[in-house]
Amino acid sequence: MAATTPTGASDVASKHADNYIVGDRIPTNPTPLSAPQEAQVRELYYRRVKDKCADEIKEFAACALNRTLSMVFACRPQKLAMNHCMLQYQNQESMDAARAEWFALAGERKRQREEHKRKQEEAKKKHHEWWGLDEQGRTVAMREAMERVEAEERERDLMERKGVKGRRS
């Protein structure tokens, strides 16, 4: 039988308490994100870890430079130091901090998207003004020519109708 904690949950449940609401605790990541959003959170998370362990990573890279198979043996202390440092910062608190940073930057990303869209619309407007295009992307001369052709076709249709009516009478 599994031992129980003061809350009455088994050891198995207490090990997975982060996934469930236990008492007043809420899940560590209550907001589900899409796969690309989760990838952005992981990118922030790994960037933070790499920034904190930059010295150890540089030492390992300097040791491994211009080595092939001998790198495994010659750079073992640097590799162990780098891995120890990275494992030290790879935890749920760091992931939660990266997620919080991602949510904090959401407003900035939205502002950047809106700015980009505004610039695209402005560039499109300038392009249409420069080339003398209408909303459909046709030049003014082409639009005038199409209007002349359409007017001629309307006139021809009207003449044919009158001619047909005149023959019947």
Side-chain angles (χ1 to χ4, degrees), residues 54-101:
D55 294 335
E56 289 84 355
I57 293 171
K58 285 180 185 176
E59 288 176 17
F60 176 71
C63 178
L65 187 66
N66 295 326
R67 294 181 190 258
T68 56
L69 188 58
S70 65
M71 180 266 307
V72 175
F73 304 105
C75 302
R76 185 177 178 133
Q78 292 87 347
K79 182 189 80 138
L80 291 174
M82 177 184 71
N83 286 345
H84 176 73
C85 178
M86 292 178 85
L87 287 174
Q88 178 182 351
Y89 294 110
Q90 290 180 342
N91 52 34
Q92 189 61 43
E93 291 81 27
S94 296
M95 182 62 91
D96 290 341
R99 183 178 288 270
E101 182 181 350

Side-chain angles (χ1 to χ4, degrees), residues 3 16 24 29 36 41 64 67 85 100 102 107 123 131 136 140 143 145 155 159:
H16 301 289
D24 293 335
N29 297 324
V41 170
R67 294 181 190 258
C85 178
W102 185 87
W131 291 103
Q136 288 80 27
V140 174
R143 184 178 57 232
E155 187 177 318
M159 294 300 283

Side-chain angles (χ1 to χ4, degrees), residues 29-69:
N29 297 324
T31 306
L33 299 175
S34 67
Q37 291 169 334
E38 283 293 340
Q40 291 172 352
V41 170
R42 280 192 307 275
E43 184 180 321
L44 286 172
Y45 169 70
Y46 290 127
R47 187 178 331 130
R48 285 176 157 210
V49 171
K50 288 176 187 175
D51 289 345
K52 291 178 181 177
C53 297
D55 294 335
E56 289 84 355
I57 293 171
K58 285 180 185 176
E59 288 176 17
F60 176 71
C63 178
L65 187 66
N66 295 326
R67 294 181 190 258
T68 56
L69 188 58

Side-chain angles (χ1 to χ4, degrees), residues 5-6 11 14 20 34 36-37 54 66 77 79 109 111 114 117 143-144 150-151:
T5 60
D11 286 336
S14 65
Y20 305 101
S34 67
Q37 291 169 334
N66 295 326
K79 182 189 80 138
R109 286 190 303 274
R111 187 195 63 74
E114 289 170 353
K117 186 176 180 180
R143 184 178 57 232
E144 291 172 354
E150 289 172 359

